[in-house]
Amino acid sequence: MSRRIIKSLPDMGKARNRMDSPKTVREPLIVPPAVAEFGKGRAYLIKTFGCQGNVRDEEILAGYLEAAGMHRTEIESEAGLVIINTCAVRENAEDKVYGEIGKFKVNHQKDPSFVLCVCGCMMQETGVAEKLVKSYPYVNLIFGTHNLSNILSLLDERLARKKDLVDVLSYPGDIVENLPSIRLDAYKAFVNIGYGCDKFCTYCIVPYTRGRERSRAREDIIKECQELVEEGYQEITLLGQNVNSYGKDFHDGTSFATILEDVAKLGIPRLRFMTSHPWDFSDEMLDVIAKYDNIMPCIHLPVQSGSTTMLRRMGRRYTREQYLDLVRRIREKIPGCALTTDIIVGFPNETEEEFEDTLTLCEEVKYDAAFTFLYSPRKGTPAAALEDDVPDEVKHERFNRLLKVVEAGVMSHSSQMVGKTYKVLVDGPSKKNERVLSGYTETNKLVNFEGPAYLKGQIVDVEIVEDHAFSMIGKLTKDPLIILAEKAAESLKEEPEAIAFLEAKKAVEESPSLIELRGQIEKAQKAMVQKAADSDDEAYEKAKNEYLSLMNSYKKDPVVLNYEARKDDLEELLRIVKGTLS
Ligand code: 5AD
Ligand code: SF4
């Protein structure tokens, strides 16, 4: 009898057909008892390839596994469950995945209960799951992007039936909310605003692997972002394959501009978003970005090619001129806005003239950063069926020419930064040197500078001292301890006790009857001192009684009583803060 059950296999032909709008389901998380038993004390490891969307999926998978009692490890030999979360966008990402899978054969030999899962975009391609089953028989669970939230029930089924499973759906189902999640960063968070893509650029596999465009409900996005603000997150990046399409499926006027504004109003210090398609980038979006200081002036705007004929073959829906016009509008409405991009070199039959159009566009736009890719044919996409007469050497030579032009553009911005001070959100100590911190400016420029690890998660002022084109060297403009003390004072001001105290203090200072009373007390005090100096005991006694009686009325005034009570509350809060510091 086979030790594997194929529940479903994907079909990219079917995936191309869009389905009706999905509903949202909000179900409580249930951990099947057998999975809880399996999870007890078990270490898990997730290896993620690809984009931020996959990173967010990893966080959700981790949420399910930790709900089942497992804990994270980075040590491969320790892991009792491994998930390889794959990317399909280019072939080289796929090659790496096969290497990774091979590594975990030994875990099975050590631990018969070990489970190896492979999931993500690559599993959505026709034929990949079958290939894995044949060549890597020690893979225990294969699932796709559309049934990630079934991980615990798939594990349960595998435990119950004692057989390996393959379950990859061709279509996305409902939008699942209340997803558990263990975030990988304590200060920067990704929030999905929608899933899938309906653009079908001719080279791209994403519309097949991620399914039709579907927006998350506004209230679910707001709730998630609100919680992040309350938890002290400093930065949210709204994620979608194509954020501009957000809300179009609701047909009620909701758009990316409206959700962006709603999230900005929640007060997160930094708000970013990606990815924007140049085709339906509205002026309303630009207005919202320009209006809110906490929306970072940085737009990732993949151009892919600077040639109108090539853009048409790529199915991009805009011309070179329309793209350049959008760049002009962005720079007009958001001065200083950084622009980054993606470019593909070597799309089938790219002519020298078309390629040069890309070079001149880059010279004109001067991107702050550009991700350049050699075209990689993806089976099942229209471009993969095209004959191509351009030799590989020509493609590589063009790629190198493009890199030089991109670098010149990047340097035109970075060289201007030297000597100026920028706000940098500190990611923490850099990988190479723990005394060096790294972080990003508002325009997403990487800056390295000396500083203590406790500044992680703070937004600090850094002066740029050296330009390294793709990253900068800087120095803190203030002593790190002073930065921390100032932040502590600032955040205390927002505590309810501190707010109530400041209000009560203001009421005491501004109350007309108390101002009058304070004047009388001052006079009585002076009179008392005078009578004492005169050695007039009787008059002194009278003045003293007058003073004490005025003081008594002052202390009993309800406004003053409230001030004293609020002061006690604040002192109690400060005692707690002091306790946590010492
Ligand atoms: N080959 C090379 N690059 C690709 N991209 C998408 N599909 C391919 C492909 N088949 C690039 C695009 C996209 C980025 C995420 O990956 O530039 O914007
Ligand atoms: Fe792929 Fe184009 Fe969709 Fe981007 S917009 S995910 S490149 S199909």
Side-chain angles (χ1 to χ4, degrees):
M1 201 171 53
S2 154
R3 49 179 288 271
R4 187 179 307 271
I5 300 167
I6 311 276
K7 295 183 64 168
S8 59
L9 284 170
D11 175 337
M12 284 173 64
K14 278 193 198 158
R16 197 186 158 81
N17 297 324
R18 310 278 97 172
M19 306 270 287
D20 295 339
S21 291
K23 9 182 243 308
T24 297
V25 291
R26 296 183 184 84
E27 275 158 17
L29 168 65
I30 294 165
V31 181
V35 176
E37 191 51 41
F38 166 83
K40 229 182 256 167
R42 187 174 293 265
Y44 73 87
L45 184 149
I46 307 178
K47 290 234 164 173
T48 292
F49 295 84
C51 65
Q52 288 85 349
N54 271 18
V55 173
R56 181 69 191 125
D57 283 352
E58 167 173 342
E59 294 179 336
I60 290 160
L61 287 165
Y64 281 109
L65 299 181
E66 298 207 7
M70 297 181 220
H71 60 276
R72 184 184 284 276
T73 179
E74 300 303 330
I75 303 166
E76 291 169 359
S77 59
E78 262 182 18
L81 179 139
V82 168
I83 302 182
I84 300 175
N85 184 17
T86 63
C87 167
V89 83
R90 280 172 297 275
E91 199 173 349
N92 52 6
E94 298 205 353
D95 294 342
K96 280 191 220 145
V97 164
Y98 289 115
E100 272 312 311
I101 297 173
K103 277 192 198 165
F104 293 100
K105 197 173 173 183
V106 290
N107 291 51
H108 271 301
Q109 290 157 355
K110 247 180 61 187
D111 170 11
S113 73
F114 173 76
V115 173
L116 179 57
C117 313
V118 188
C119 69
C121 290
M122 212 172 131
M123 299 306 104
Q124 297 294 143
E125 289 177 70
T126 313
V128 169
E130 290 96 315
K131 179 174 165 188
L132 278 189
V133 165
K134 224 166 112 203
S135 313
Y136 302 85
Y138 47 88
V139 173
N140 308 108
L141 194 53
I142 295 176
F143 55 98
T145 56
H146 305 318
N147 57 347
L148 174 125
S149 58
N150 290 350
I151 170 101
L152 296 187
S153 59
L154 287 170
L155 273 175
D156 191 38
E157 188 172 344
R158 183 179 179 274
L159 289 167
R161 300 172 81 170
K162 298 190 175 55
K163 286 192 176 179
D164 295 335
L165 298 175
V166 177
D167 193 7
V168 188
L169 313 172
S170 296
Y171 303 115
D174 295 327
I175 294 181
V176 183
E177 290 297 343
N178 298 345
L179 291 167
S181 128
I182 303 290
R183 294 200 182 262
L184 292 164
D185 195 292
Y187 301 99
K188 303 209 282 195
F190 294 128
V191 172
N192 286 313
I193 58 168
Y195 306 99
C197 180
D198 281 352
K199 293 291 173 287
F200 287 102
C201 301
T202 56
Y203 51 81
C204 187
I205 201 165
V206 169
Y208 309 86
T209 60
R210 290 276 170 181
R212 63 164 182 267
E213 271 172 11
R214 49 215 192 275
S215 306
R216 280 180 76 194
R218 178 190 174 278
E219 67 265 25
D220 292 314
I221 298 170
I222 296 295
K223 183 170 165 261
E224 186 174 338
C225 294
Q226 179 72 55
E227 282 166 9
L228 291 166
V229 172
E230 282 159 17
E231 285 167 31
Y233 272 80
Q234 298 290 314
E235 180 175 300
I236 289 177
T237 302
L238 301 178
L239 286 184
Q241 295 300 338
N242 183 5
V243 290
N244 320 7
S245 296
Y246 177 78
K248 288 187 181 166
D249 42 348
F250 298 153
H251 308 289
D252 65 355
T254 306
S255 69
F256 180 60
T258 60
I259 191 76
L260 187 64
E261 179 156 29
D262 289 347
V263 176
K265 281 183 186 159
L266 299 176
I268 185 82
R270 288 184 168 198
L271 179 57
R272 301 185 187 277
F273 55 90
M274 70 186 309
T275 297
S276 306
H277 195 299
W279 174 65
D280 49 1
F281 201 112
S282 69
D283 275 341
E284 290 76 55
M285 275 160 61
L286 290 179
D287 291 338
V288 171
I289 301 166
K291 184 169 162 197
Y292 291 88
D293 284 346
N294 60 344
I295 303 181
M296 296 297 100
C298 183
I299 302 175
H300 185 57
L301 198 65
V303 66
Q304 313 297 2
S305 165
S307 148
T308 297
T309 50
M310 173 59 84
L311 288 168
R312 194 177 314 128
R313 296 211 298 286
M314 288 178 161
R316 291 292 288 176
R317 307 168 188 223
Y318 53 86
T319 63
R320 172 192 175 93
E321 289 69 34
Q322 285 166 332
Y323 184 92
L324 287 173
D325 186 56
L326 174 59
V327 169
R328 187 190 52 72
R329 280 189 286 139
I330 292 174
R331 295 209 157 130
E332 197 177 286
K333 292 209 179 204
I334 314 163
C337 184
L339 282 176
T340 61
T341 202
D342 292 343
I343 301 169
I344 298 178
V345 176
F347 186 87
N349 308 309
E350 182 181 43
T351 64
E352 176 61 21
E353 208 186 342
E354 286 172 330
F355 173 68
E356 281 174 14
D357 278 347
T358 301
L359 291 184
T360 56
L361 181 129
C362 288
E363 278 163 358
E364 194 170 334
V365 176
K366 294 189 173 56
Y367 289 105
D368 291 80
F371 302 92
T372 47
F373 306 106
L374 264 179
Y375 168 72
S376 164
R378 306 285 58 220
K379 216 166 130 205
T381 61
L386 296 172
E387 294 276 333
D388 185 9
D389 62 9
V390 184
D392 275 356
E393 310 87 75
V394 173
K395 294 184 181 181
H396 283 101
E397 184 248 347
R398 285 181 184 162
F399 190 82
N400 291 331
R401 279 161 70 199
L402 176 65
L403 286 186
K404 289 210 180 87
V405 172
V406 163
E407 190 171 339
V410 172
M411 283 169 75
S412 73
H413 298 286
S414 59
S415 60
Q416 313 254 321
M417 293 174 73
V418 178
K420 296 193 187 122
T421 296
Y422 293 86
K423 298 229 166 293
V424 172
L425 171 54
V426 183
D427 277 343
S430 75
K431 285 188 194 106
K432 287 189 211 138
N433 180 348
E434 63 179 34
R435 284 181 50 221
V436 172
L437 300 177
S438 62
Y440 287 85
T441 62
E442 298 197 331
T443 56
N444 229 3
K445 192 62 140 178
L446 175 62
V447 184
N448 294 305
F449 53 99
E450 270 190 29
Y454 60 70
L455 288 183
K456 182 174 161 56
Q458 303 286 343
I459 295 174
V460 297
D461 285 330
V462 179
E463 185 191 330
I464 303 302
V465 291
E466 250 178 72
D467 163 22
H468 288 201
F470 295 96
S471 69
M472 312 299 283
I473 306 285
K475 64 169 199 275
L476 285 167
T477 59
K478 274 187 199 158
D479 180 321
L481 261 180
I482 297 202
I483 298 176
L484 214 60
E486 281 175 1
K487 302 261 172 190
E490 211 173 284
S491 58
L492 270 184
K493 261 193 233 154
E494 279 158 31
E495 291 298 320
E497 288 88 342
I499 294 170
F501 169 77
L502 291 174
E503 275 170 9
K505 185 166 168 263
K506 197 164 166 235
V508 168
E509 283 163 2
E510 291 177 3
S511 152
S513 60
L514 289 178
I515 292 172
E516 161 97 38
L517 204 50
R518 278 197 294 272
Q520 290 171 0
I521 291 172
E522 206 178 316
K523 255 196 225 152
Q525 205 174 13
K526 274 190 193 145
M528 204 167 73
V529 172
Q530 186 60 50
K531 302 299 169 209
D534 296 348
S535 304
D536 183 343
D537 287 351
E538 203 178 318
Y540 170 76
E541 241 354 88
K542 218 173 138 216
K544 187 174 140 195
N545 286 340
E546 170 72 8
Y547 168 76
L548 288 177
S549 137
L550 286 168
M551 276 304 281
N552 208 20
S553 340
Y554 190 82
K555 280 189 199 153
K556 282 193 181 145
D557 187 287
V559 176
V560 176
L561 285 174
N562 180 52
Y563 168 75
E564 291 298 332
R566 300 293 72 85
K567 198 167 139 203
D568 287 347
D569 292 347
L570 183 63
E571 274 170 2
E572 178 58 26
L573 175 73
L574 292 175
R575 264 195 294 278
I576 296 170
V577 172
K578 198 165 159 241
T580 54
L581 286 176
S582 52

